[in-house]
Amino acid sequence: MNFDLIIEAGTLVTCDDNAGWVLENKSIAIKDGMIVAVEDSTPSTWAAKNKINAKSRLVMPGLVNAHAHLPMNFFRGLADDLPFEEWLFKYILPLEARLVAPDFVRIGTELATLELLSMGVTTVCDMYYFEDVIADVLDKAGLRACVGESVADFPMPDCKEAPKNNYKILDRMRERYQGHARIKPVLAPHAPYSCSDETLKEAMRYADKFGMDFTIHVSETKNEVEESFKKFGMSPVKRLWNLGFMQHKSIFAHGVHLSDEDIELIAKSPVGISYNPESNMKLGSGTTRVPELLKRGIKLGLGTDSVASNNDLNLFKEMDVGAKLQKLSNHDNTALTAKECLKMATFQGAEALNIPNVGKIKSGYCADLIILDMRKPWLEPRHDVLAQLVYACNGSEVETVICHGEVLMENKKYLKSDLEKTFSEASAYRRSMQF
Ligand SMILES: [Zn+2]
């Protein structure tokens, strides 16, 4: 049998309940971007153009970042330690209005893709402006992504006449990427508080017409929920429910301040949630009710949000902090386990994003895999592999990244991106901006 790639894994973390989560000495066959077989050692009948010897390494699914704003890379470390409303309305939104342009977005995303690859992320859900430019960068980098073009009532860098959105960027993304193997265009209404009923309805009409999903910030802060009650007499979730928005496949970013009724409505809908613990902690927003959401069968992903509120795109840290935050806030060290965090950072995150067959190492799944060198002083001894991945790894262990069967980073060398060129272009662009 002829394959494109064979990976010989020492330790294999499948994230597949049926196969067993941790296996030893397995060979993975990849063809046309898909995993087509997982067997004990390499059968003599197998042949491939390329073979990776990872017998002294750990192989696991690539990680899924369910919520990010990649071009905000340029805002890392800017306006930290401020109250949320001041941070967003006095700094981030005015800076974006002044600085965000196609080159800002392209260069910021090119930098971000290098960080994603370094930390073993193969799928990302992004939400920003000029998202068609972001889609092109992510496609060129070989990553898998949901690309969400923003819709809002406030004037946006790529649509000054909002809320009269021209939808031109969405049209362009749809024409270029609908049905693409890795890049999925989605609509990204900014949040219920920044979109009128009519703006949301217009977005729904567009989504219905072209069969598209949503990503949207929902119930991130206490203030946002209080304002919704004052203005509409109901929670943001209830309002989205009443508008029919929740009949659409969507991922709600944050979902921090959810009532029991909100959780009931989400459980009855095809909506998933991105849990973004570090951003919520840093902005002092609160803690998502993860155990209750999981108990109700709601699909949860794990997101970093932007580096302006995190300040990195590292899902290994996010898993660690995400588990510990739930243990702390619930006064229960079983509130969120390492295994549940790994599910959120892999296949459950992909399911929450409505991306099928991603996040497990299993025949029929997309060949999105990462290879880690676990021979590190901070990873000895290895009593429990899953606990090591969540509580002890820091992301620096990631050596090789494969997405859709293509090797994007090998032994820490970027194969499709030029690190030096990206750095020099980014620093020249940063110097040209007035922050
Ligand atoms: Zn966000």
Side-chain angles (χ1 to χ4, degrees):
M1 278 174 286
N2 263 308
F3 305 110
D4 298 329
L5 175 63
I6 293 171
I7 300 170
E8 297 181 322
T11 301
L12 177 64
V13 175
T14 64
C15 296
D16 178 14
D17 285 327
N18 295 327
W21 268 61
V22 184
L23 307 173
E24 297 294 330
N25 302 319
K26 296 284 173 185
S27 286
I28 305 155
I30 293 166
K31 195 171 173 61
D32 298 329
M34 306 299 287
I35 297 168
V36 290
V38 180
E39 296 285 348
D40 292 329
S41 63
T42 306
S44 57
T45 52
W46 282 16
K49 288 172 221 154
N50 189 8
K51 193 190 265 189
I52 295 178
N53 179 349
K55 287 178 182 168
S56 60
R57 301 290 190 266
L58 181 145
V59 180
M60 66 178 288
L63 302 179
V64 176
N65 187 343
H67 183 64
H69 311 278
L70 299 176
M72 290 178 77
N73 222 292
F74 282 121
F75 297 148
R76 187 186 334 245
L78 194 80
D80 283 334
D81 305 332
L82 293 172
F84 176 81
E85 266 80 20
E86 195 181 338
W87 172 80
L88 182 64
F89 295 110
K90 266 182 92 174
Y91 287 89
I92 298 299
L93 291 178
L95 273 174
E96 285 181 329
R98 198 158 52 79
L99 299 175
V100 174
D103 269 352
F104 175 104
V105 161
R106 176 180 60 79
I107 300 165
T109 308
E110 282 170 354
L111 261 182
T113 56
L114 298 179
E115 186 178 353
L116 292 172
L117 288 170
S118 297
M119 297 298 152
V121 174
T122 50
T123 299
V124 61
C125 177
D126 189 67
M127 173 200 277
Y128 212 57
Y129 315 107
F130 301 105
E131 196 70 35
D132 54 334
V133 176
I134 297 168
D136 290 347
V137 174
L138 293 171
D139 181 32
K140 210 170 133 215
L143 287 161
R144 193 178 302 286
C146 286
V147 282
E149 169 63 16
S150 293
V151 174
D153 291 340
F154 55 79
M156 294 179 285
D158 59 353
C159 186
K160 310 273 188 220
E161 66 274 31
K164 281 260 163 276
N165 235 297
N166 57 25
Y167 281 83
K168 274 187 192 149
I169 288 178
L170 274 158
D171 286 342
R172 214 174 304 146
M173 289 205 305
R174 211 171 30 73
E175 280 154 20
R176 218 175 288 170
Y177 291 109
Q178 230 174 7
H180 190 278
R182 289 179 289 101
I183 306 293
K184 181 170 105 163
V186 300
L187 282 108
H190 175 262
Y193 63 82
S194 50
C195 292
S196 68
D197 286 358
E198 190 42 49
T199 302
L200 290 167
K201 282 181 193 166
E202 194 186 348
M204 284 191 277
R205 284 193 290 272
Y206 191 92
D208 286 336
K209 190 170 171 194
F210 298 111
M212 292 170 78
D213 299 344
F214 285 110
T215 178
I216 179 170
H217 297 110
V218 177
S219 301
E220 179 176 3
T221 65
K222 196 161 160 257
N223 185 52
E224 169 193 341
V225 176
E226 285 169 0
E227 288 298 314
S228 178
F229 272 99
K230 267 190 228 159
K231 203 167 164 192
F232 302 101
M234 63 188 98
S235 74
V237 171
K238 188 72 190 286
R239 185 171 152 236
L240 291 173
W241 176 270
N242 287 351
L243 284 168
F245 189 93
M246 291 169 69
Q247 291 165 21
H248 299 81
K249 294 215 167 65
S250 316
I251 186 149
F252 287 3
H254 304 299
V256 172
H257 296 276
L258 299 176
S259 66
D260 291 346
E261 189 196 10
D262 291 340
I263 294 177
E264 287 305 310
L265 295 177
I266 294 166
K268 282 196 268 183
S269 76
V271 169
I273 291 190
S274 175
Y275 171 44
N276 312 315
E278 287 192 277
S279 174
N280 297 151
M281 290 168 75
K282 184 158 181 273
L283 296 174
S285 305
T287 311
T288 302
R289 296 167 65 186
V290 169
E292 283 106 316
L293 295 170
L294 288 177
K295 228 171 272 163
R296 296 307 317 268
I298 295 165
K299 302 276 185 229
L300 261 78
L302 198 61
T304 55
D305 212 348
S306 84
V307 298
S309 62
N310 188 305
N311 292 3
D312 57 49
L313 301 171
N314 185 340
L315 279 185
F316 283 96
K317 268 177 66 190
E318 211 70 38
M319 286 195 283
D320 180 32
V321 170
K324 288 171 182 166
L325 175 62
Q326 291 299 325
K327 294 170 194 295
L328 175 71
S329 60
N330 288 283
H331 303 284
D332 173 4
N333 70 350
T334 66
L336 187 62
T337 65
K339 193 174 188 178
E340 284 167 329
C341 279
L342 279 162
K343 288 182 185 180
M344 287 195 276
T346 56
F347 70 90
Q348 205 185 106
E351 287 169 7
L353 293 170
N354 193 28
I355 301 176
N357 303 327
V358 163
K360 292 182 188 180
I361 297 189
K362 181 180 182 174
S363 179
Y365 269 64
C366 294
D368 299 1
L369 310 94
I370 55 176
I371 302 175
L372 286 75
D373 181 4
M374 301 289 277
R375 298 167 306 168
K376 307 286 180 191
W378 58 91
L379 299 177
E380 287 297 325
R382 208 195 300 177
H383 294 300
D384 180 336
V385 173
L386 306 187
Q388 295 289 54
L389 286 170
V390 172
Y391 301 127
C393 280
N394 56 40
S396 67
E397 305 81 1
V398 176
E399 283 184 337
T400 297
V401 176
I402 296 154
C403 184
H404 208 73
E406 187 180 13
V407 184
L408 307 181
M409 185 173 90
E410 189 165 27
N411 295 323
K412 294 198 176 279
K413 190 171 180 292
Y414 303 111
L415 301 189
K416 290 179 71 103
S417 319
D418 186 333
L419 179 70
E420 289 310 320
K421 185 171 164 276
T422 306
F423 267 171
S424 63
E425 201 178 2
S427 67
Y429 194 79
R430 188 170 40 74
R431 281 196 302 273
S432 75
M433 283 186 285
Q434 297 266 310
F435 284 99

